[in-house]
Amino acid sequence: MSRARILVVDDEAGIRQTLRGILEDEGHSVTTAADAVSGSALMSSDEFDLVLLDVWLPDRDGLELLSELREGDFTTPVVVISGHGNIDTAVKAMRIGAQDFLEKPLALNRVVVSVENALERNRLEQEVRELSSRLDPERHLIGDSDPMRKLGNDLELAARAESRILITGENGTGKELVARRVHSLSRRSSRAFVEVNCAAIPEELIESELFGHVKGAFTGASGSRHGRFEQADGGTLFLDEIADMSLNTQAKVLRVLEEQRFERVGGSDPIEVDVRVLAATNKDLEGDELPAGRFREDLYFRLAVIPLHVPALRERREDIPALVDHFLRRFAAEAGRRPKTVDPAALERLVAYSWPGNVRELRNLTERLMIMAPGDQVGLADLPPRIRGKGAIAPVADDYGSLKEAREAFERLYIERCLVAAGGNVSRTARELGIDRRHLYRKLRAYGIDPGREK
Ligand SMILES: Nc1ncnc2c1ncn2[C@@H]1O[C@H](COP(=O)(O)OP(=O)(O)OP(=O)(O)O)[C@@H](O)[C@H]1O
Ligand SMILES: [Mg+2]
């Protein structure tokens, strides 16, 4: 077991001393507290891998304190120590979430074993959580189109290299999903994935969020706090909406990337971390933000060692049917219902629509269809007007003077739709229509269809 940070809360100085001695001999770092008030403050600081907690504290019952903390978000493993060990206390301790129970007088061997077990179990639990989240279908990128397949390949290669990655793409294209996937395919997958949304955090708080702060660093900083960089130690830090970071914060982040080292806000001790940074943005850093001086060039080059671009959904319309199917199944499973299907006319409109909100928009729509569409099959009438479009899809007889005219109108529409579905790719459209590519080009010219416009 590697070095762990252990907190001992016990009112007897002798016990604190003994425990410190044996645990430090085992290579751990030990902090002590003599009462519930200071112990509880340290426990909530989230800085420890394990707590040894006495039941009889001068100011409070240790089990009561533990039970209260467990109701919040306190998940650190705790081994309870008691001088008045009896079965009842032991059972109660375990029930409120203690890992183990030790009786005084402490048998030193037993202490060491119990501590190592608790640490090991915690490590395993973390690993299991990470593994099961890796199997989570939510983590998989749906889409078999050429650009998505390329992205999948690049992503796998990039994930294994330790390099920094800059993920770009419009809103809702799946940038965060890509970041999580990179983490779970990387060597760091059993360690933390920590996300910071730079756009959501007010400027004056972002530094403390990233780097943590020491007690009293600013008004309201009543305790010290780990920053996200420290939380991500050994793992991955995902800086989302990176373009929203101020120039001032950019400079500080740059320094961490260069030195893998920083200080907490208000602190002077350098903290070293081993963090892989992934960043994402929907802005065009190279085209807009760098020339405008809103983003530091040196930071850009540090972050974008490997750029991964997630294409907009309208550039890979072939993926739409699979995504619709995926989300319909998922929302059906969540609601415990049978998944709905989509009739061909409705699917055609879904494929032809431009999806400015990309996969997120499609996901939200399918969720709504799952709940709101009355039948088992989603039809045109269930689609919102922006997607259903104006014109009827079937040609109306009166609109055409002859069979030839009607046939040509239909052919034109049909080719346009196929072209849209193939993301404007003429060769693929020709294959799908079962005609020669040159033949298709002649048709496109004849009908005045511009393949570039159909992307
Ligand atoms: N290829 C995909 N397969 C399955 N689900 C996807 C795919 N792409 C995106 N999603 C889902 O769509 C939603 C939006 O994706 P995500 O949050 O990753 O997008 P984003 O690019 O980070 O968006 P924003 O720029 O708005 O932050 C999520 O629920 C995500 O799981
Ligand atoms: Mg996002």
Side-chain angles (χ1 to χ4, degrees), residues 175-176 195 238 240-241 360:
K175 296 184 294 298
E176 181 172 343
E195 186 200 335
F238 175 44
D240 201 1
E241 316 266 10
R360 181 176 296 112

Side-chain angles (χ1 to χ4, degrees), residues 46-266:
D46 200 27
E47 308 213 359
F48 299 96
D49 302 307
L50 178 69
V51 179
L52 298 183
L53 177 66
D54 190 16
V55 173
W56 289 74
L57 294 167
D59 47 345
R60 200 163 173 199
D61 180 287
L63 291 188
E64 228 178 78
L65 169 64
L66 175 59
S67 139
E68 190 181 292
L69 288 171
R70 283 283 188 248
E71 276 164 28
D73 54 6
F74 177 72
T75 55
T76 312
V78 172
V79 170
V80 165
I81 310 169
S82 170
H84 310 261
N86 59 41
I87 293 287
D88 281 355
T89 324
V91 168
K92 195 173 161 209
M94 305 304 253
R95 195 174 294 143
I96 57 178
Q99 224 84 359
D100 199 0
F101 185 83
L102 293 173
E103 275 177 61
K104 288 182 192 172
L106 295 171
L108 301 190
N109 283 344
R110 172 89 175 86
V111 170
V112 172
V113 170
S114 170
V115 163
E116 297 307 329
N117 281 346
L119 289 171
E120 177 67 5
R121 196 168 116 190
N122 194 43
R123 200 181 57 77
L124 287 174
E125 276 171 6
Q126 248 175 26
E127 227 171 271
V128 167
R129 267 198 301 279
E130 195 49 53
L131 281 172
S132 49
S133 73
R134 245 196 280 180
L135 297 174
D136 184 352
E138 269 284 79
R139 294 285 168 88
H140 287 275
L141 287 160
I142 305 291
D144 206 25
S145 60
D146 290 348
M148 283 309 273
R149 242 187 277 176
K150 179 170 184 317
L151 177 66
N153 288 341
D154 291 355
L155 188 157
E156 262 181 56
L157 291 176
R160 280 195 288 270
E162 277 280 284
S163 1
R164 298 191 192 108
I165 300 178
L166 177 69
I167 307 162
T168 56
E170 291 180 10
N171 284 327
T173 43
K175 296 184 294 298
E176 181 172 343
L177 196 58
V178 165
R180 291 185 182 276
R181 189 94 188 116
V182 165
H183 173 72
S184 55
L185 291 173
S186 77
R187 273 182 276 138
R188 297 169 178 260
S189 63
S190 65
R191 310 298 294 272
F193 176 89
V194 176
E195 186 200 335
V196 183
N197 186 335
C198 305
I201 302 166
E203 168 63 21
E204 63 280 11
L205 293 183
I206 191 142
E207 277 175 37
S208 132
E209 183 78 20
L210 288 172
F211 309 118
H213 61 248
V214 299
K215 187 172 170 172
F218 48 83
T219 335
S222 54
S224 65
R225 182 171 182 278
H226 272 346
R228 302 290 189 168
F229 269 99
E230 272 174 277
Q231 288 171 4
D233 194 14
T236 305
L237 180 68
F238 175 44
L239 298 176
D240 201 1
E241 316 266 10
I242 189 89
D244 285 282
M245 203 178 256
S246 72
L247 285 166
N248 186 22
T249 310
Q250 288 174 32
K252 303 218 160 119
V253 170
L254 177 68
R255 208 196 119 210
V256 187
L257 298 186
E258 280 168 347
E259 301 174 10
Q260 292 278 326
R261 208 149 57 116
F262 60 92
E263 290 93 39
R264 287 185 180 171
V265 174

